Amino acid sequence: GYASFPPDTGSKNKMYIGYGNLYFFFDRANITKAFMPNRELTSTESYYATIYSSGKSKQYYESTTKINFNYNRGSGSNDNNNQQYYEHNPYGWNARMAKHDMTDGWDLPPNCQQEGETFFGIPLSRKSDSKLLTTTSFQDQFDFEYLLDRNFTYMKKFGTNHGWLVGEELGNGAGSIVDKDTAHIPIFYTGTTNPAMGGISLEDLIKIGKKIDFGTLYIKPAFVFQDDDGSIKLQFEADANSALGYLYSNLCKMIGISWNYESPFNDLGKYTNCAMHAAGDRAKYGCGPDNANSGGFCPQMTLAYRVGFQSEEHAAAYLDRCNNYVDYWRSLYPSGVAVGTSAFCPDGGCLALFLNRYDIFYVFKPELGGSWVEFMGGSSAPTISPAPTYDGGCDNPHNMHLDKCFRKKHARKASSVAWDSLGAVGQLSIFL
C-alpha cells in the first residue's frame, strides 16, 4: 500500500510501503521517510547518473541555455482555496533555521568579533517613529491591529519588557518599553558594519544591493503561530521560485559566509564574516512544505516576544482568531501583494537596508529601477546617478529629481558664479 510522510501532508508525499522497508523516525510517534529495499534507479536518475560515462555531457550543456524560472513571479500558491499546505505544521514548517537575528542570542559566526543588527528586509510599518525617515508609513495593504490582543482577552503576560512590536500603547501594562511600530520581514542579516571586526561597511552593502536585479517582491501571509521560544509570529509563504526566493539565493551567493566548501563571490570583492547565512544556502532549502526545511529562507514577521497565555484554550482561541483574518488576507491577495504606499515605493515590492529593526537607511526598487537614501530627508528617490534612470534623458519629467538633471535645469547664471568667485574681499573692493 501507500502512506504519506509526514502524515499531515495529505496526498502530497505518498510513498510505497512494502515488506522489509527501512524507516526514519523523527520521534517516537512520527515516521518521516521510508526507504524501499533494492530500489532500482528511475529513468531520470539513470540518465543523469551516466551522463558523463555515456559521453552526453557536452551535448547536454550546449543545449541547456535557460532555466524554467520566473524571477518576477508572485508568492506561489495562487488561488489555493483550501490552503491545505499553508497551515502551521511543525513538520512542514521548520522555521527555527530562519532565526538569525544577532540580538536573539545566537553565537557569532567564526572570525566575526562584534554583534550587529544590519539586515536586508521588507518594511511593513504603518506608524514608524524613526527620525531617519521621510515618511512614517511603508505599506497600506495590511493592518496588523487585527492580530493583537491589547485588552489581554487571551494573553496573561509578556515574558520580556517589550510589548507588541507593531506598536504599543502607553499605559497598556505590557512592559517597561513602549515599543514603536517596527513591523518588517527580515530577509538576510549582515551583522556589524565594522570591517575591522569582521563585518562589511554600509557603503559596500549599498553597492551590492544596487547590483542585484531582483523582481517585484510579492508577499502573502500564511498563518500566525507561536514558536518554541514563545514568540508570536506571522509566517509568510516561502516560495523558492519567487522574486523573494531569487533575492535570498543571490544574497547568499554574493555575501553569505563560507560554509561546506561554498564561498561567496561578487564583482566588488566585498565580503563579511558576520552574515548569518551560508554561501551555500539557497531558497529551496528554506521552510515550508515545498522546501527542504534546512535553510534560512523563511520570511516571517515577529509580533511579540515570549507571550504567555491564560491557558492552552486561550492560546488556541487567539491563534484561531488571527488565522481567520489571515485567511481573509489570503483571499484578498491570492497571488500575494507588492506592498507600498503612494509616498513610499508607489509601485510596490521594494527592498530596504535596515540599520536595525527601527531605522531604514537605504531602499532599492525592483528590476534595477533606482535606489535612494532614507536619511533625514536628505535626498529623493532615486538619488545620485551618472545617467538618468528613465528613457529620454533629462527631457523626461520622471528624471527631474536626479542630481544631474536638477543641476542642468537650475544652472546658475555665469554672472552669479563670477560674483561669488570674487569672495568677500573682492566684492568689497568693487563696491569701494
Side-chain angles (χ1 to χ4, degrees):
Y2 290 85
S4 297
F5 302 106
D8 291 337
T9 56
S11 61
K12 187 170 185 180
N13 296 319
K14 276 192 173 182
M15 299 180 64
Y16 179 77
I17 304 301
Y19 292 102
N21 283 9
L22 175 67
Y23 300 94
F24 179 80
F25 286 75
F26 185 82
D27 52 33
R28 293 178 61 89
N30 292 278
I31 299 173
T32 57
K33 192 170 182 61
F35 301 89
M36 292 184 294
N38 304 318
R39 184 179 71 84
E40 298 293 335
L41 292 177
T42 65
S43 59
T44 301
E45 291 172 338
S46 178
Y47 173 78
Y48 287 107
T50 59
I51 191 171
Y52 279 97
S53 61
S54 63
K56 299 177 180 178
S57 58
K58 182 178 180 181
Q59 178 184 359
Y60 171 78
Y61 287 118
E62 289 178 348
S63 62
T64 305
T65 58
K66 62 180 181 179
I67 58 174
N68 184 22
F69 179 78
N70 181 6
Y71 86 123
N72 200 30
R73 178 178 166 179
S75 80
S77 72
N78 201 9
D79 55 349
N80 180 19
N81 295 323
N82 55 18
Q83 316 292 356
Q84 59 176 326
Y85 300 130
Y86 291 95
E87 298 175 357
H88 180 237
N89 170 11
Y91 301 111
W93 289 84
N94 181 4
R96 289 189 60 82
M97 292 300 294
K99 183 181 173 185
H100 293 309
D101 188 347
M102 304 288 192
T103 60
D104 282 339
W106 278 59
D107 293 334
L108 294 177
N111 303 316
C112 179
Q113 303 172 26
Q114 187 179 60
E115 290 188 354
E117 299 181 58
T118 308
F119 63 91
F120 288 101
I122 299 176
L124 297 176
S125 299
R126 304 187 75 175
K127 296 180 180 179
S128 175
D129 198 45
S130 174
K131 303 304 180 185
L132 300 185
L133 308 177
T134 56
T135 181
T136 59
S137 180
F138 306 129
Q139 58 89 17
D140 50 23
Q141 286 75 25
F142 300 106
D143 185 357
F144 300 116
E145 189 68 26
Y146 295 102
L147 305 182
L148 311 185
D149 181 23
R150 297 198 186 278
N151 298 324
F152 291 84
T153 303
Y154 308 95
M155 293 175 48
K156 184 178 182 180
K157 63 178 181 179
F158 289 95
T160 69
N161 56 359
H162 291 274
W164 295 105
L165 300 180
V166 296
E168 191 50 271
E169 296 176 351
L170 184 64
N172 192 39
S176 59
I177 299 177
V178 181
D179 288 276
K180 304 299 183 181
D181 183 0
T182 57
H184 69 277
I185 301 175
I187 299 174
F188 191 94
Y189 284 100
T190 57
T192 180
T193 55
N194 184 352
M197 303 302 286
I200 185 172
S201 68
L202 275 175
E203 178 185 6
D204 291 334
L205 283 174
I206 293 170
K207 290 179 180 177
I208 290 173
K210 287 182 176 180
K211 279 185 168 292
I212 302 179
D213 186 7
F214 62 92
T216 302
L217 301 178
Y218 288 86
I219 59 174
K220 183 178 180 181
F223 50 80
V224 175
F225 74 107
Q226 186 173 28
D227 68 8
D228 294 341
D229 296 322
S231 297
I232 300 297
K233 296 184 176 181
L234 173 58
Q235 179 71 55
F236 291 81
E237 287 191 8
D239 182 3
N241 293 317
S242 66
L244 191 58
Y246 173 89
L247 172 64
Y248 176 86
S249 294
N250 278 274
L251 286 170
C252 290
K253 295 177 185 178
M254 296 178 74
I255 53 176
I257 59 175
S258 298
W259 198 255
N260 292 337
Y261 306 104
E262 294 281 356
S263 297
F265 175 78
N266 59 71
D267 295 337
L268 302 171
K270 303 297 183 181
Y271 306 102
T272 176
N273 293 312
C274 297
M276 292 303 291
H277 301 268
D281 194 12
R282 297 293 182 267
K284 64 181 180 181
Y285 302 139
C287 67
D290 296 323
N291 301 321
N293 279 280
S294 60
F297 178 59
C298 195
Q300 54 187 218
M301 184 187 78
T302 303
L303 293 168
Y305 296 128
R306 294 175 58 185
V307 174
F309 289 96
Q310 299 177 30
S311 67
E312 291 184 1
E313 289 75 16
H314 284 83
Y318 165 77
L319 294 176
D320 184 62
R321 187 199 72 170
C322 290
N323 284 312
N324 281 337
Y325 205 82
V326 170
D327 287 342
Y328 163 71
W329 281 334
R330 291 178 63 78
S331 64
L332 189 63
Y333 308 116
S335 297
V337 61
V339 296
T341 69
S342 58
F344 179 87
C345 191
D347 296 326
C350 292
L351 174 70
L353 175 61
F354 289 74
L355 298 178
N356 48 55
R357 63 177 295 119
Y358 189 62
D359 296 313
I360 294 175
F361 184 74
Y362 218 87
V363 183
F364 307 89
K365 293 181 69 175
E367 300 176 359
L368 301 179
S371 56
W372 69 93
V373 181
E374 281 287 338
F375 183 74
M376 301 295 286
S379 61
S380 300
T383 184
I384 301 172
S385 172
T389 299
Y390 290 87
D391 294 336
C394 293
D395 295 330
N396 189 330
H398 287 97
N399 294 323
M400 285 299 101
H401 54 273
L402 291 172
D403 291 1
K404 178 179 179 179
C405 297
F406 186 88
R407 290 194 300 267
K408 182 177 180 180
K409 184 176 181 179
H410 299 84
R412 298 177 61 190
K413 295 181 179 180
S415 57
S416 175
V417 175
W419 176 254
D420 287 345
S421 67
L422 294 174
V425 177
Q427 294 171 358
L428 179 61
S429 63
I430 291 178
F431 274 118
L432 294 177

